[in-house]
Amino acid sequence: MITRFAPAPTGHLHIGHVVNALYVWNTAQAHQGRVLLRIEDHDRQRSRPEYETSILEDVAWLGFTAAAPAVRQSQRGAIYDTALQRLRDEGLVYACECSRREIAEAGVAGVAGEDLRYPGTCATKDLPDAPGRALRVKLAPSEERFDDMLQGPQVQHPHEQCGDLLLRDRLGCWSYQFAVTVDDMDQAITHVVRGMDLLASTGRQIQLARLLGRDTPSRFLHHPLIMKAPGQKVSKSDGATGIRALRAMGMTPSDVLDLARAKLSSSQ
Ligand code: GLU
C-alpha cells in the first residue's frame, strides 16, 4: 500500500493540509503502507520555492515522515513527455487554440458545477502543436464507477463534466489532472487520500490512467473539508489558520494536530 501527500507550493501549510495529512498517514498506518511526498508545482506561475521549503519544514515539525525524499513535478518533465507520447501514439491528442474566455462563452457548464466543459471546438481542426496552443486528450463519453473508501459508490461522467481534458495549457504548463494521473501511476500509488473538493476529478483521472495503460485504478478516499464558515473552505491565504502563525503563537505540534481534529469535528 502506497499513498501520498501532495501539496502545491502556492502558499504556506494551513490547517486544511494538516487535516489531509492526518487522513493520509492514518490510512497508511491502517494498511501498513507507506507515504510518499510530492510537491505539486505544475503551476509555474503560482508555485514558489520558499513555499516548498516552508511546507516541508512544517510537515517535518508536525512529525509526519515520508518513506522517501519528496519529488517535485517541475523536475518530471521527461516522465510527462513519455506519457504524452503514449497518448499521441493512440491518436488521442490534439492542439487547442481556445482561450478560457472563449470556452466560457461557448457556455456549456460542466455537470459538476465547478468545471468548465470544453465543447471540443478544436477536436477536428488538426492544428499543429505550436507555442501558445494547449494540448487536450479525447475522452470517450463513458461512465466511471468507483467505490470511495469513505463516500461509498460513485458514478461520474467525465466527458459531460469537463469534455476533452487539458494536458498542457497555452503557457506550456502541465495540467493538474495530467500531472497527478501520471505521477500516481509512476509512483505506483495504490490509495489516493484527499479532500472532497477533488471528488469530481476522480472519474477523469481513472479514465485518463486507463488510456495511459493502468487497468486497475488506485483506491480513493475523499475526506470532509474543514470550513471557515458554511460553504467556505479554508485556503492558503487564510493567515489565521496558517501553521507558521500557529507556531509563532507558541503552539506545539500536538496542539496543532488537536486543533485540526477539533476543527474537523466541528465542521461535520
Ligand atoms: N496538489 C493538490 C492540492 O494541493 C492535491 C492533489 C491531489 O491530492 O490529487 O490540493
Side-chain angles (χ1 to χ4, degrees):
M1 185 275 187
I2 308 178
T3 184
R4 78 312 195 264
F5 181 64
T10 53
H12 293 293
L13 202 75
H14 63 68
I15 203 80
H17 288 113
V18 180
V19 167
N20 177 238
L22 283 167
Y23 272 102
V24 167
W25 267 272
N26 287 343
T27 307
Q29 200 178 26
H31 294 82
Q32 284 92 46
R34 291 184 290 144
V35 180
L36 299 181
L37 268 179
R38 183 196 304 147
I39 298 295
E40 297 215 322
D41 59 353
H42 59 92
D43 183 339
R44 305 307 301 138
Q45 308 296 310
R46 294 170 57 227
S47 298
R48 300 265 179 280
E50 55 273 28
Y51 289 137
E52 175 185 323
T53 309
S54 94
I55 288 172
L56 291 175
E57 220 254 316
D58 285 345
V59 166
W61 178 79
L62 286 164
F64 294 112
T65 50
V71 301
R72 197 176 288 118
Q73 288 180 325
S74 57
Q75 293 177 333
R76 296 168 65 78
I79 295 169
Y80 305 135
D81 280 331
T82 305
L84 175 64
Q85 192 55 47
R86 180 170 179 140
L87 297 174
R88 279 191 202 279
D89 292 346
E90 303 282 328
L92 294 171
V93 177
Y94 63 90
C96 168
E97 60 183 357
C98 298
S99 65
R100 216 182 143 73
R101 204 168 123 224
E102 284 164 337
I103 300 170
E105 280 168 7
V108 199
V111 286
E114 89 285 8
D115 295 312
L116 207 48
R117 180 175 187 272
Y118 183 63
T121 318
C122 293
T124 52
K125 287 188 187 165
D126 209 12
L127 297 167
D129 181 4
R133 290 196 176 135
L135 292 176
R136 293 185 180 273
V137 63
K138 291 181 197 161
L139 290 189
S142 64
E143 182 174 277
E144 293 298 335
R145 289 172 180 267
F146 59 96
D147 196 8
D148 188 280
M149 291 165 71
L150 212 52
Q151 311 301 329
Q154 305 291 316
V155 185
Q156 295 183 358
H157 301 89
H159 192 263
E160 281 169 38
Q161 286 172 264
C162 61
D164 291 341
L165 206 56
L166 190 69
L167 300 175
R168 216 181 61 195
D169 69 17
R170 303 205 309 161
L171 301 171
C173 284
W174 300 107
S175 71
Y176 158 69
Q177 303 289 353
F178 182 59
V180 84
T181 302
V182 173
D183 289 339
D184 285 340
M185 265 180 83
D186 180 70
Q187 294 187 291
I189 302 298
T190 60
H191 291 65
V192 171
V193 177
R194 60 189 178 193
M196 279 293 282
D197 52 339
L198 288 166
L199 179 63
S201 287
T202 297
R204 69 196 78 163
Q205 292 176 12
I206 292 172
Q207 193 172 348
L208 181 55
R210 190 177 314 110
L211 296 176
L212 288 165
R214 181 171 189 172
D215 293 325
T216 309
S218 52
R219 302 288 320 275
F220 289 86
L221 184 158
H222 291 90
H223 59 75
L225 301 173
I226 55 171
M227 299 294 167
K228 265 194 296 200
Q232 259 187 303
K233 66 174 188 160
V234 175
S235 76
K236 285 166 188 155
S237 52
D238 196 10
T241 53
I243 306 313
R244 298 268 119 167
L246 301 176
R247 287 176 70 168
M249 284 163 53
M251 289 181 99
T252 64
S254 67
D255 293 336
V256 174
L257 298 178
D258 285 346
L259 179 68
R261 291 188 193 101
K263 281 190 180 278
L264 183 63
S265 50
S266 67
S267 300
Q268 308 297 297

